[in-house]
Amino acid sequence: MRIITGQYKGRHFDIPRSFKARPTTDFAKENIFNVLNRYIDLDEATALDLFAGTGSISLELLSRGCRQVVSVEKDRDHALFISQCVKKLDTDRHLLIRGDVFRFVKSCRQQFDFIFADPPYALKEIADIPDLVLGNACLLAPEGIFVLEHGKDHDFTSHPAFVEHRHYGSVNFSIFRHTDTTEK
């Protein structure tokens, strides 16, 4: 796994073979971040990485200058790996929450400019994630951007906050923008 661009560009991290989670491919990650440049300036933004897995997106966000990145990961080994990677970057702009994403989102009172979620593609609650994230009025800042990575079996184009869909191979991204009409 490598960091594509920014302050830590080119840094590599070896993922243990025992991990179930796989990082978003470099190709997909580079392309979605290129698309996101049209929607948000990540420099000095606050970001939330849900289902952080290997930490690939969190590390990329830190490299791109986010003021703060919060990663939520339930798996103990994955959380430890993320912690070790961030430690190698020697930054204090990262907070790791080891816990359940659904509980975290329901109770979180911090606001983020950018939220990324990469749940397991087979997760039965995946279709509920946009409403969960956008339904917490405190979570996503006004005009904030939410990206959901998912498999081909899900279509979010009818969601009121949906902005754009991108796919790179088997990786799909749905982009949502928080507006006053998405508040509940």
Side-chain angles (χ1 to χ4, degrees):
M1 167 177 85
R2 75 179 173 97
I3 297 176
I4 303 292
T5 197
Q7 178 181 358
Y8 307 113
K9 178 181 179 176
R11 298 284 287 271
H12 286 265
F13 302 90
D14 294 323
I15 301 165
R17 294 189 188 277
S18 61
F19 273 24
K20 293 171 256 166
R22 297 267 80 33
T24 301
T25 65
D26 286 352
F27 177 75
K29 184 168 58 170
E30 184 170 12
N31 280 289
I32 194 61
F33 274 101
N34 286 339
V35 170
L36 288 172
N37 285 334
R38 293 186 305 185
Y39 293 105
I40 188 168
D41 180 6
L42 291 171
D43 192 40
E44 291 300 310
T46 55
L48 174 62
D49 183 8
L50 300 171
F51 305 96
T54 62
S56 174
I57 298 298
S58 294
L59 296 172
E60 193 69 39
L61 291 166
L62 287 166
S63 186
R64 290 170 184 258
C66 284
R67 180 172 24 114
Q68 182 190 33
V69 176
V70 175
S71 305
V72 182
E73 174 55 47
K74 187 175 184 176
D75 185 277
R76 183 193 66 202
D77 293 335
H78 294 185
L80 179 61
F81 178 76
I82 294 167
S83 179
Q84 291 168 344
C85 291
V86 171
K87 191 174 189 175
K88 290 178 184 175
L89 299 182
D90 193 29
T91 181
D92 63 354
R93 298 176 291 128
H94 182 259
L95 175 63
L96 176 64
I97 306 289
R98 187 171 157 247
D100 180 76
V101 164
F102 295 98
R103 284 215 291 287
F104 175 83
V105 168
K106 288 176 184 174
S107 65
C108 182
R109 296 295 166 247
Q110 182 176 350
Q111 198 166 65
F112 298 92
D113 302 305
F114 177 73
I115 299 174
F116 187 93
D118 180 9
Y121 288 3
L123 184 74
K124 65 181 179 172
E125 300 93 350
I126 198 166
D128 302 329
I129 293 173
D131 285 337
L132 182 68
V133 168
L134 296 164
N136 178 342
C138 299
L139 201 59
L140 189 60
E143 297 305 311
I145 297 296
F146 167 51
V147 174
L148 176 62
E149 182 175 333
H150 56 88
K152 64 180 179 176
D153 297 333
H154 295 280
D155 180 2
F156 297 96
T157 56
S158 63
H159 193 281
F162 176 83
V163 176
E164 186 174 348
H165 173 262
R166 292 293 178 124
H167 68 93
Y168 307 99
S170 62
V171 180
N172 288 264
F173 297 101
S174 289
I175 303 171
F176 304 84
R177 171 171 267 147
H178 185 280
T179 63
D180 288 339
T181 60
T182 60
E183 287 182 8
K184 294 189 178 186

